[in-house]
């Protein structure tokens, strides 16, 4: 493997999603609407949880972190994509590419850990309700949340430094809509076999481990729900868990599809990546509000409070 000091490329050109020219404006408008809904929806969740004291519980504290991650992941990817659709501005500096790749994997890995943590939180709440309050104290919640961010930072620093120690001496056309590991490996002027193996083991192992832990947690949760005597309690528990699992599946399945095949050059990969970079951040506020009675009630309280403020 060659030293990164041989790097000659000073900028990259993001090819973006492949589409007919006449679809540029419709795609721009579609992704602009999705981005606006993502930012406003997740921002509304954070604001609602912060101002409504009845939501000051671990589940909603973690939901705030998830909403913030969704906003920032979308903001790291979508604005550059929009510029490519409308302004044909596809150039990104070498440093900008490094920052985008680091940001995406930092935020994405943190979200991966957070999904696992949220599943554990639901496991404790449903399977060990008598011990939940003593286990999930405020200090424990803060410590666990901090751990997800720390884990994401370490993971992304490792992956980013490992990728950009490779020499990039041309071509500089990134056949993707953002700087990501599989696309960057194809541009390296060196043998990337070790990098592909490390990506497969690191990201693949990480994603699969978190996914299996989530499925294990929900296996215990489903068994506990089926033992509930209250039909309403069973329905509410299933509703909350189904919402979480829906988001997890939409996030993990495409993500695993991409990173377990780091050497792939399939055109379909870009379309698949749209799911966990654009669609999932939009789904979270929709699912966690429409499928969550407490969130809907809090939003109604918030709307009513704002209506009476002028008076």
């Amino acid at each position: 493997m060659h030293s990164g000091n041989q790097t000659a490329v000073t900028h990259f050109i993001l090819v973006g999603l492949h589409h007919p020219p006449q679809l540029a404006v419709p795609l721009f408008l579609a992704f602009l609407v999705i981005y606006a809904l993502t930012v406003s929806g997740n921002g509304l969740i954070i604001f609602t949880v912060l101002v409504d004291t009845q939501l000051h519980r671990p589940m909603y504290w973690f939901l705030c972190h998830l909403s913030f991650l969704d906003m920032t992941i979308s903001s790291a990817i979508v604005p550059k994509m929009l510029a490519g659709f409308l302004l044909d501005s596809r150039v990104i500096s070498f440093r900008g590419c490094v920052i985008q790749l680091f940001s995406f994997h930092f935020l994405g890995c943190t979200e991966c850990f957070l999904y696992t943590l949220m599943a554990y939180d639901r496991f404790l709440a449903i399977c060990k309700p008598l011990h939940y309050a003593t286990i999930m104290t405020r200090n424990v919640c803060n410590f666990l949340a901090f751990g997800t961010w720390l884990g994401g930072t370490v993971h992304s620093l490792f992956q980013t430094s490992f990728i950009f120690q490779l020499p990039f001496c041309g071509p500089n056309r990134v056949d993707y809509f953002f700087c990501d590991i599989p696309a960057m490996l194809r541009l390296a002027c060196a043998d990337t076999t070790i990098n592909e193996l490390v990506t497969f083991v690191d990201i693949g192992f990480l994603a699969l481990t978190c996914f299996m832990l989530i499925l294990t947690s929900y296996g215990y949760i489903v068994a506990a729900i089926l033992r509930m005597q209250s039909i309403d309690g069973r329905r509410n528990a299933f509703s909350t868990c189904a919402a979480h699992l829906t988001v997890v599946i939409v996030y993990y399945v495409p993500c695993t599809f991409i990173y377990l095949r780091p050497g792939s050059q399939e055109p379909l990969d870009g379309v698949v990546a749209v799911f966990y970079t654009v669609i999932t951040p939009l789904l979270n506020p929709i699912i966690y509000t429409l499928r969550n009675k407490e969130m809907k009630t809090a939003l109604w309280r918030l709307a009513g409070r704002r209506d009476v403020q002028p008076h």
Side-chain angles (χ1 to χ4, degrees):
M1 186 174 296
H2 301 288
S3 169
N5 292 332
Q6 298 179 6
T7 296
V9 171
T10 59
H11 65 277
F12 295 99
I13 300 173
L14 298 174
V15 174
L17 295 174
H18 296 281
H19 63 277
Q22 61 269 26
L23 290 182
V25 173
L27 285 172
F28 169 82
L29 294 174
F31 281 101
L32 178 62
V33 170
I34 291 174
Y35 179 61
L37 291 175
T38 298
V39 173
S40 58
N42 283 291
L44 180 60
I45 287 178
I46 294 173
F47 180 73
T48 303
V49 173
L50 290 178
V51 302
D52 195 314
T53 56
Q54 296 187 37
L55 298 180
H56 289 183
R57 302 202 302 275
M59 173 182 172
Y60 297 104
W61 171 240
F62 296 141
L63 182 57
C64 276
H65 283 263
L66 181 62
S67 293
F68 181 77
L69 285 168
D70 284 332
M71 286 195 299
T72 48
I73 285 177
S74 188
S75 297
I77 305 298
V78 178
K80 191 62 180 177
M81 182 194 298
L82 293 175
F85 283 134
L86 194 63
L87 305 175
D88 203 28
S89 174
R90 304 177 185 275
V91 177
I92 184 170
S93 67
F94 188 92
R95 180 178 297 180
C97 191
V98 173
I99 292 172
Q100 189 180 59
L101 190 145
F102 170 80
S103 300
F104 174 71
H105 281 274
F106 160 55
L107 298 167
C109 182
T110 302
E111 186 159 328
C112 184
F113 289 140
L114 188 62
Y115 280 131
T116 310
L117 179 56
M118 293 175 74
Y120 177 66
D121 173 71
R122 290 300 84 202
F123 162 75
L124 289 178
I126 294 174
C127 299
K128 299 182 181 297
L130 299 180
H131 304 285
Y132 179 75
T134 57
I135 296 175
M136 296 299 287
T137 63
R138 175 174 293 185
N139 288 336
V140 169
C141 289
N142 289 335
F143 175 78
L144 292 173
F146 173 76
T148 63
W149 290 90
L150 180 61
T153 302
V154 172
H155 165 81
S156 188
L157 281 173
F158 169 72
Q159 284 292 341
T160 304
S161 59
F162 200 55
I163 289 295
F164 286 101
Q165 72 171 337
L166 293 169
F168 292 91
C169 49
N172 66 343
R173 291 176 61 84
V174 181
D175 192 15
Y176 218 51
F177 60 94
F178 70 103
C179 294
D180 197 14
I181 292 174
M184 300 311 297
L185 287 178
R186 294 196 288 270
L187 299 181
C189 303
D191 182 18
T192 61
T193 303
I194 296 178
N195 295 78
E196 291 178 13
L197 180 62
V198 169
T199 300
F200 177 87
V201 173
D202 179 29
I203 300 180
F205 174 77
L206 181 69
L208 287 176
T209 300
C210 290
F211 191 52
M212 292 307 298
L213 289 173
I214 291 171
L215 291 182
T216 301
S217 295
Y218 277 97
Y220 283 105
I221 289 171
V222 170
I225 291 174
L226 292 176
R227 292 194 297 268
M228 288 183 177
Q229 300 297 322
S230 169
I231 296 178
D232 287 339
R234 189 183 305 171
R235 185 185 299 113
N236 291 336
F238 263 125
S239 178
T240 301
C241 295
H244 187 190
L245 271 179
T246 300
V247 174
V248 166
I249 290 171
V250 173
Y251 181 80
Y252 274 97
V253 172
C255 188
T256 304
F257 176 80
I258 295 294
Y259 293 108
L260 289 184
R261 303 156 50 253
S264 171
Q265 300 187 33
E266 294 291 333
L268 183 63
D269 290 352
V271 178
V272 173
V274 169
F275 277 91
Y276 60 84
T277 56
V278 180
I279 303 301
T280 302
L282 173 66
L283 286 180
N284 282 342
I286 294 175
I287 290 177
Y288 279 105
T289 53
L290 296 182
R291 296 293 301 274
N292 189 302
K293 184 182 294 184
E294 289 182 318
M295 277 299 302
K296 285 191 289 187
T297 303
L299 287 171
W300 279 113
R301 284 197 299 267
L302 179 63
R305 186 180 308 161
R306 295 177 70 177
D307 287 341
V308 300
Q309 276 181 350
H311 306 287

